[in-house]
Amino acid sequence: MRPDLTPALLDRAALLLVDMNRSHLDHSIGHLLVAKEDADRIIATAAKLRDAWAAAGRPVIFVRTHHRWNPATGEVIDNRNPFWMAQHANPIPGLSKPRRTLAVEGSPVTEVVPQLAPRPGEHTVFKHRYSPFHNTDLELLLKNLDVDTLVIGGVNTNNCVLCTCFEAFNRDLRVILLPDACASMNGPDYHTAALTLIEAALGWLVPSDDIIAACAR
């Protein structure tokens, strides 16, 4: 059974939007893109939910990925994982284009899509790996906000979103995932597989309309 979305539960919840950036969602400049119909769905769903969530006075947190760039060498400094490096120039599964590291500091592709641009009073956490907790201040932020529940949406379901759910679970946070606010650049099979893992072991899958209705109550 999924948790009862009571005001008491939501009063200690934060909306965590993972990598809602132009690289994944903006088909005018992105590279590691989810399908256009998925991008449109995610943006519309997340915008509607964010409005309801913020109107209820609850915290909104954006997680963004970017890497440091050394202009003297032309190299990315902190994207040095051996598997990531081995993948460069190889086709991305399900995407049929070579992996390239474009998400460097200051690059437009690292920006949150304009439709979801953070507003005053909303929070942003920058990460350098799949995990939003690893070497970031997210855990401290959640502690200071008195948050024990994360309502999560974002991209990609099978890596950054899945890792977020694992890491939140391991910190005894309640995990609620919005399946209609997620997608994978690797395709629907990867997205579905991740949802299956999350529902089996990590948290609850709750449609965004249910969260919006609970905010209204």
Side-chain angles (χ1 to χ4, degrees), residues 155-163 183-187 190-191 193-194:
V155 183
N156 290 287
T157 323
N158 56 299
N159 46 49
C160 292
V161 173
L162 178 60
C163 186
S184 173
M185 67 181 183
N186 304 113
Y190 288 78
H191 168 74

Side-chain angles (χ1 to χ4, degrees), residues 17-197:
L17 298 175
V18 179
D19 284 341
M20 296 291 203
N21 57 46
R22 299 181 71 186
S23 177
H24 291 311
L25 299 175
D26 186 343
H27 276 249
S28 70
I29 66 168
H31 180 66
L32 304 177
L33 290 160
V34 304
K36 182 65 165 59
E37 59 269 26
D38 287 332
D40 293 342
R41 167 180 54 82
I42 289 172
I43 292 170
T45 299
K48 183 179 177 183
L49 175 59
R50 192 265 294 271
D51 286 345
W53 192 268
R58 298 188 172 95
V60 177
I61 303 172
F62 290 88
V63 177
R64 291 171 56 189
T65 299
H66 73 193
H67 303 293
R68 297 176 185 88
W69 173 260
N70 183 350
T73 63
E75 293 180 337
V76 175
I77 296 171
D78 55 8
N79 187 358
R80 310 299 293 175
N81 178 275
F83 185 71
W84 280 7
M85 294 173 68
Q87 285 184 307
H88 273 235
N90 290 330
I92 299 170
L95 198 57
S96 299
K97 62 168 65 172
R99 182 179 295 276
R100 293 187 291 157
T101 299
L102 302 178
V104 298
E105 287 179 317
S107 170
V109 298
T110 70
E111 299 169 357
V112 175
V113 289
Q115 301 93 320
L116 296 172
R119 299 167 179 167
E122 297 178 339
H123 309 283
T124 299
V125 172
F126 291 96
K127 67 183 178 70
H128 303 285
R129 292 294 184 272
Y130 293 145
S131 168
F133 291 93
H134 179 65
N135 285 334
T136 76
D137 64 349
L138 177 58
E139 193 163 7
L140 178 63
L141 175 61
L142 297 178
K143 179 181 178 181
N144 289 338
L145 293 171
D146 194 29
V147 166
D148 67 5
T149 298
L150 290 180
V151 177
I152 301 167
V155 183
N156 290 287
T157 323
N158 56 299
N159 46 49
C160 292
V161 173
L162 178 60
C163 186
T164 297
C165 293
F166 266 111
E167 296 270 16
F169 175 91
N170 289 338
R171 289 164 172 80
D172 289 337
L173 294 164
R174 183 182 290 106
V175 174
I176 296 175
L177 183 71
L178 306 162
D180 53 344
C182 297
S184 173
M185 67 181 183
N186 304 113
D189 290 346
Y190 288 78
H191 168 74
T192 301
L195 295 181
T196 301
L197 290 172

